[in-house]
């Protein structure tokens, strides 16, 4: 496989490509001429596996949402649930590895939409009519498809109360946030600022 795609004919590989032979993965790198044996600060094998698994994540939709209760203090009552993504695929179990692989393929926005979709479709088993808090990726605020993806999500969710969480690193344009707040307000979706 090259970058997760099965090779059926001669294929040109470039620096940065991921090659897989059976269950062994390699990264193509230019020869630096030296043989540096310094210890690396990350597990290259795990990263290679995550990149291979990423294509499978998108095609088989192997997403497992988890719901973390949001508790109001000091009453200590549940007011909602945050939808958190996990995966069934080895090497992509947690969001850091999922979005690390997504960044390699420049599919962070597509991945974020997919994870939100699964968070909403699987939320029907949650008790009560609590608000579902949904995450965004910082790259989505500049993406013109964000509102349309939320409109489709609203159709899927029905009357489920939803809150869109905006990460603090995304808040660079107050004007854009005002537009977003107005647009999602029309969809009955509230806005929350994460980690402020």
């Amino acid at each position: 496989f090259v970058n997760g795609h099965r090779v059926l004919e001669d294929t040109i590989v470039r620096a940065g490509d991921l090659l897989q032979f059976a269950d062994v993965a390699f990264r193509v790198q230019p020869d630096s001429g030296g043989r540096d044996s310094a210890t690396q600060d990350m597990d290259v094998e795990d990263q290679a596996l995550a990149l291979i698994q990423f294509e499978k994540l998108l095609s088989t939709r192997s997403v497992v949402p988890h719901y973390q209760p949001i508790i109001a203090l000091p009453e200590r009552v549940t007011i909602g649930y945050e939808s958190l993504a996990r995966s069934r695929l080895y090497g992509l179990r947690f969001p850091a590895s999922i979005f690390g692989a997504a960044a390699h393929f420049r599919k962070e926005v597509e991945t974020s939409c997919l994870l939100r979709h699964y968070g909403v479709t699987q939320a029907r088993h949650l008790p009560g009519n609590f608000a579902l808090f949904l995450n965004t990726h910082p790259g989505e605020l500049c993406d013109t498809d964000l509102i349309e993806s939320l409109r489709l999500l609203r159709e899927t969710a029905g009357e489920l109360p939803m809150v869109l969480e905006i990460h603090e690193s995304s808040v660079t344009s107050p004007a854009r946030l005002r537009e977003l707040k107005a647009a999602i307000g029309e969809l009955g979706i509230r806005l929350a600022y994460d980690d402020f």
Side-chain angles (χ1 to χ4, degrees):
F1 294 80
V2 175
N3 294 326
H5 299 285
R6 187 180 175 102
V7 175
L8 301 173
E9 56 191 36
D10 290 352
T11 302
I12 296 173
V13 295
R14 294 174 178 78
D17 282 350
L18 189 69
L19 305 181
Q20 177 190 356
F21 301 91
D23 61 350
V24 180
F26 300 89
R27 166 85 58 208
V28 177
Q29 291 181 226
D31 188 356
S32 63
R35 296 289 176 248
D36 186 9
S37 63
T39 302
Q40 298 186 11
D41 65 351
M42 64 179 185
D43 190 333
V44 176
E45 187 175 311
D46 284 350
Q47 184 185 31
L49 179 59
L51 293 175
I52 291 167
Q53 295 280 60
F54 182 73
E55 192 68 34
K56 194 183 292 183
L57 176 77
L58 294 181
S59 63
T60 63
R61 313 277 188 187
S62 300
V63 176
V64 181
H66 288 258
Y67 301 96
Q68 176 176 297
I70 297 177
I71 310 295
L73 300 176
E75 299 88 4
R76 297 182 185 176
V77 295
T78 301
I79 61 166
Y81 291 90
E82 180 177 6
S83 176
L84 303 171
R86 300 295 183 264
S87 163
R88 293 184 182 97
L89 300 174
Y90 183 78
L92 287 181
R93 298 244 164 93
F94 299 101
S97 55
I98 292 172
F99 279 99
H104 177 81
F105 295 110
R106 296 188 177 146
K107 292 191 174 187
E108 298 100 318
V109 170
E110 179 182 344
T111 302
S112 185
C113 287
L114 174 72
L115 300 182
R116 263 197 314 276
H117 171 77
Y118 273 89
V120 167
T121 57
Q122 301 298 314
R124 296 190 175 124
H125 75 278
L126 294 175
N129 195 27
F130 293 111
L132 185 62
F133 286 69
L134 303 163
N135 291 295
T136 56
H137 184 273
E140 289 186 278
L141 283 188
C142 300
D143 187 71
T144 56
D145 294 333
L146 176 61
I147 301 301
E148 184 56 30
S149 75
L150 294 172
R151 185 171 284 111
L152 294 172
L153 210 55
R154 170 47 73 206
E155 290 173 11
T156 301
E159 298 298 315
L160 177 71
M162 292 189 295
V163 180
L164 187 68
E165 291 190 14
I166 304 295
H167 192 269
E168 78 274 6
S169 65
S170 302
V171 183
T172 56
S173 169
R176 174 67 180 130
L177 282 178
R178 279 192 290 276
E179 292 172 15
L180 177 63
K181 184 177 179 183
I184 68 173
E186 292 176 9
L187 298 172
I189 300 173
R190 293 181 293 153
L191 193 60
Y193 300 102
D194 196 15
D195 295 334
F196 268 81

